[in-house]
Amino acid sequence: MKELIHRLRETRKLQPDEYKQLLTSLTKEEQEYLFLNAREVAQEQFSNGIFIRGLIELTNYCKNDCYYCGIRRSNDKAQRYRLTKEEVLESCEEGYRLGFRTFVMQGGEDDSYTPRVMVDIIKSIREKYPDCAITLSLGEKDYDTYKQYYDAGANRYLLRHESINAEHYASLHPQGMTIQTRSECLFNLKKIGFQTGSGIMVGSPNQTIDNIVEDILFLEELQPQMIGIGPYLPHKDTPFKDKEKGSLELTLIVVAILRLMHPYALIPSTTALATIADDGRDKGILAGANVVMPNLSPIRFRKKYLLYNDKACMDDEAAESLASLQKRLEKIGYTISYDRGDFRK
Ligand code: 5AD
């Protein structure tokens, strides 16, 4: 196993069955060795700095009906909200004051944010904060819409592929959503020039280890600049409410493998990791993650943006959460980096 880990670190590539071995057959000690190698690779690129991104949850309206997600269209218990441009700009202002230099606007697929409306919001942020990166995470759009976002000043786009296996993808999403469309969106984003992020939930219902291997191979082909990996967590008002949550351990192994394959990638220690265990966020960093995304949304909206149950850090003011993040990072030998944190090779 150690030979496999070394070879993955050296060549950034293994055979499919070798990924499978890492995903299924590591002893505790070998897992620790995998994590050690992954964090060494991250430290070679990023030293002990952890980039921060201010997350602004733009809207929890969504036209999609993904079986796993708490803001799916059919969840009539969700209290829906939309942020106005003014509310977005206020969140940015608070974030900028605290030192954030990346703003991530994430939301459901909400067509009331037409290309015109989004371009106006993006341009306003771009104008007011020329030194900041603007990241979008707003789902599937056509090429022209993505291009308009980019030309308005957005730099990065997050769109997890969720599963590259057509059958598995279809079991997570209702008819009408396909992995072909998803994958086309991702290649369009890259072509336009976005720093592009993708990824999966680990332990999503019906996912097999072979599916995860396929996802690892897809990410190798896509070469995303950002990779988001979190455990699946159930939400009580979805069809998947009774499905098991994903495994913390397996999530960390996937993060570490991807770090060894993608030394330069920006890999967050996700909110889902922070939710599944008190020290989940620390463990993600110790398995090779180098980004944290604190919540900048106005607190009154946060309880409404629930993709899964028991979401972590819901009541922290951004300022408090940064202070407590810094403390926690220091305990494991890391520190907040206030750089904009673009992808660099
Ligand atoms: N558990 C964990 N992650 C989830 N996401 C959506 N619903 C859940 C859930 N129940 C993830 C998806 C999506 C990202 C924004 O959040 O992977 O791409």
Side-chain angles (χ1 to χ4, degrees), residues 138-244:
L138 302 170
E140 297 178 354
K141 312 284 169 195
D142 57 29
Y143 185 96
D144 180 62
T145 304
Y146 283 151
K147 180 82 170 92
Q148 289 186 54
Y149 293 169
Y150 187 80
D151 291 339
N155 314 92
R156 309 183 190 144
Y157 205 102
L158 304 174
L159 182 68
R160 290 191 186 168
H161 68 282
E162 314 294 1
S163 173
I164 199 61
N165 180 285
E167 205 182 317
H168 181 229
Y169 189 95
S171 81
L172 300 176
H173 303 99
Q175 270 215 327
M177 284 180 78
T178 65
I179 185 56
Q180 283 76 16
T181 307
R182 181 60 58 112
S183 147
E184 210 173 286
C185 285
L186 283 163
F187 286 100
N188 283 343
L189 288 162
K190 283 202 78 178
K191 188 166 164 196
I192 290 167
F194 280 104
Q195 294 172 49
T196 302
S198 199
I200 60 167
M201 297 176 281
V202 172
S204 61
N206 313 310
Q207 183 187 60
T208 63
I209 294 291
D210 287 315
N211 291 151
I212 300 179
V213 173
E214 294 173 88
D215 291 321
I216 288 172
L217 297 174
F218 172 70
L219 290 171
E220 192 191 359
E221 180 194 334
L222 179 67
Q223 287 293 314
Q225 286 82 15
M226 301 170 284
I227 305 177
I229 304 293
Y232 164 72
L233 298 168
H235 183 290
K236 63 181 186 356
D237 303 314
T238 64
F240 285 168
K241 63 176 189 295
D242 296 323
K243 305 286 181 187
E244 277 300 322

Side-chain angles (χ1 to χ4, degrees), residues 112-338:
S112 79
Y113 294 83
T114 59
R116 227 163 45 97
V117 170
M118 266 329 291
V119 161
D120 179 50
I121 296 176
I122 295 164
K123 280 188 171 160
S124 308
I125 301 176
R126 176 50 61 239
E127 203 168 297
K128 207 162 162 215
Y129 304 103
D131 56 333
C132 290
I134 300 174
T135 303
L136 303 177
S137 178
L138 302 170
E140 297 178 354
K141 312 284 169 195
D142 57 29
Y143 185 96
D144 180 62
T145 304
Y146 283 151
K147 180 82 170 92
Q148 289 186 54
Y149 293 169
Y150 187 80
D151 291 339
N155 314 92
R156 309 183 190 144
Y157 205 102
L158 304 174
L159 182 68
R160 290 191 186 168
H161 68 282
E162 314 294 1
S163 173
I164 199 61
N165 180 285
E167 205 182 317
H168 181 229
Y169 189 95
S171 81
L172 300 176
H173 303 99
Q175 270 215 327
M177 284 180 78
T178 65
I179 185 56
Q180 283 76 16
T181 307
R182 181 60 58 112
S183 147
E184 210 173 286
C185 285
L186 283 163
F187 286 100
N188 283 343
L189 288 162
K190 283 202 78 178
K191 188 166 164 196
I192 290 167
F194 280 104
Q195 294 172 49
T196 302
S198 199
I200 60 167
M201 297 176 281
V202 172
S204 61
N206 313 310
Q207 183 187 60
T208 63
I209 294 291
D210 287 315
N211 291 151
I212 300 179
V213 173
E214 294 173 88
D215 291 321
I216 288 172
L217 297 174
F218 172 70
L219 290 171
E220 192 191 359
E221 180 194 334
L222 179 67
Q223 287 293 314
Q225 286 82 15
M226 301 170 284
I227 305 177
I229 304 293
Y232 164 72
L233 298 168
H235 183 290
K236 63 181 186 356
D237 303 314
T238 64
F240 285 168
K241 63 176 189 295
D242 296 323
K243 305 286 181 187
E244 277 300 322
K245 63 176 185 256
S247 139
L248 169 62
E249 246 175 46
L250 187 58
T251 305
L252 296 171
I253 292 171
V254 174
V255 167
I257 290 173
L258 291 167
R259 167 56 71 206
L260 291 175
M261 298 175 73
H262 304 265
Y264 310 102
L266 300 156
I267 303 183
S269 191
T270 52
T271 306
L273 263 175
T275 301
I276 199 173
D278 285 337
D279 58 352
R281 181 169 283 162
D282 308 337
K283 287 187 159 150
I285 290 166
L286 293 172
N290 73 314
V291 173
V292 172
M293 299 169 66
N295 202 321
L296 268 186
S297 311
I299 288 183
R300 64 188 179 283
F301 296 116
R302 281 191 209 169
K303 287 196 170 56
K304 302 184 174 158
Y305 196 87
L306 280 189
L307 308 187
Y308 41 77
N309 294 335
D310 308 315
K311 179 178 157 199
C313 306
M314 214 135 50
D315 311 306
D316 305 5
E317 287 286 356
E320 291 167 39
S321 85
L322 267 195
S324 71
L325 175 65
Q326 177 62 23
K327 271 199 193 132
R328 292 196 68 144
L329 290 179
E330 279 171 10
K331 280 196 189 144
I332 55 169
Y334 290 80
T335 186
I336 293 176
S337 164
Y338 287 93

